[in-house]
Amino acid sequence: MASGELLNVDPLELRFPFELKKQISCSLQLSNKTENHVAFKVKTTNPKNYCVRPNTGIVLPRSTCDIVVTMQAQKETPPDMQCKDKFLIQSVVASPGTTGKDVTADMFNKVNGKVEECRLKVVFFAPHQPPSPVAEGSEEGLSPRSNTVGNGNEATRTFADSHENMPEELLKRKNSKGGRVSITFIIIIIIGLLGVVLGGYSMKQ
């Protein structure tokens, strides 16, 4: 911010996010820190390339005025993104009650009185580029695959565990069946022996 006797100018650089074939705007603010009406005028070294609104006017006592500078669409990128354009803001004390319509070029003639000047330079910078949607999609596409692989490993482990446990279960089933067969065979033998004993006893009688 430039601090003069009449006006404070902020900022001291007109920064444009440079893009080809596109109008670009930036703003600056004039602050009147006096008790007087202050007239201002904005000049540039390249008037065909810029539109300034307002380019002249009055800043009331203890008040501010916002100025919008619009750069026309550019067909070529300047070398190294360097711009040689300059701006000049002139300001003078105006009579009380003066309005923007009353501002004339003669008011800024240094012969007629003290004219305060503030010079501004133009700066180009590359606009911020958003992240590529393709990169985001590829990252998102990888996560389901990793989940699928994980689930497949778990399923494989479960399948292997179940097959490892199958021999033990079969042995248990075979042992239980073998036990039932042996018990049945013993009962048959006992019944047969009882039959023989009882038959011999009845023949003796």
Side-chain angles (χ1 to χ4, degrees), residues 137-181:
S138 60
E139 292 178 359
E140 293 177 356
L142 289 175
S143 55
R145 293 181 183 176
S146 60
N147 292 337
T148 303
V149 172
N151 294 335
N153 290 337
E154 292 178 1
T156 304
R157 292 175 184 174
T158 305
F159 180 78
D161 293 343
S162 63
H163 278 66
E164 289 177 359
N165 295 331
M166 282 182 66
E168 296 180 3
E169 295 177 358
L170 289 174
L171 289 173
K172 290 179 181 180
R173 292 178 183 177
K174 290 180 180 180
N175 291 336
S176 61
K177 289 181 180 181
R180 292 177 184 176
V181 172

Side-chain angles (χ1 to χ4, degrees), residues 17-195:
F18 187 86
E19 293 184 58
L20 287 175
K21 300 178 181 180
K22 183 178 180 181
Q23 283 190 344
I24 308 167
S25 299
C26 68
S27 62
L28 59 92
Q29 187 177 79
L30 308 181
S31 300
N32 183 358
K33 57 184 182 179
T34 71
E35 301 297 335
N36 301 312
H37 285 61
V38 176
F40 70 87
K41 183 176 183 178
V42 182
K43 296 181 178 181
T44 178
T45 56
N46 192 357
K48 293 182 179 180
N49 203 31
Y50 300 93
C51 177
V52 182
R53 292 290 183 271
N55 61 344
T56 61
I58 294 291
V59 186
L60 299 177
R62 302 294 177 180
S63 61
T64 61
C65 177
D66 293 325
I67 299 174
V68 177
V69 181
T70 302
M71 182 178 65
Q72 304 302 319
Q74 302 296 300
K75 297 180 180 180
E76 296 180 354
T77 302
D80 300 325
M81 294 285 283
Q82 298 296 318
C83 182
K84 298 181 180 180
D85 299 338
K86 306 292 182 182
F87 279 79
L88 176 67
I89 300 178
Q90 296 178 309
S91 56
V92 296
V93 176
S95 303
T98 303
T99 66
K101 296 179 180 180
D102 301 326
V103 177
T104 62
D106 292 337
M107 297 175 63
F108 302 95
N109 190 335
K110 294 182 179 181
V111 177
N112 297 332
K114 183 178 180 180
V115 179
E116 190 172 275
E117 296 182 339
C118 178
R119 289 173 172 79
L120 309 177
K121 63 180 181 178
V122 176
V123 177
F124 293 157
F125 65 95
H128 175 69
Q129 296 294 335
S132 174
V134 177
E136 294 179 358
S138 60
E139 292 178 359
E140 293 177 356
L142 289 175
S143 55
R145 293 181 183 176
S146 60
N147 292 337
T148 303
V149 172
N151 294 335
N153 290 337
E154 292 178 1
T156 304
R157 292 175 184 174
T158 305
F159 180 78
D161 293 343
S162 63
H163 278 66
E164 289 177 359
N165 295 331
M166 282 182 66
E168 296 180 3
E169 295 177 358
L170 289 174
L171 289 173
K172 290 179 181 180
R173 292 178 183 177
K174 290 180 180 180
N175 291 336
S176 61
K177 289 181 180 181
R180 292 177 184 176
V181 172
S182 60
I183 293 172
T184 304
F185 182 73
I186 291 171
I187 292 173
I188 293 173
I189 293 173
I190 293 173
I191 294 173
L193 290 175
L194 287 176

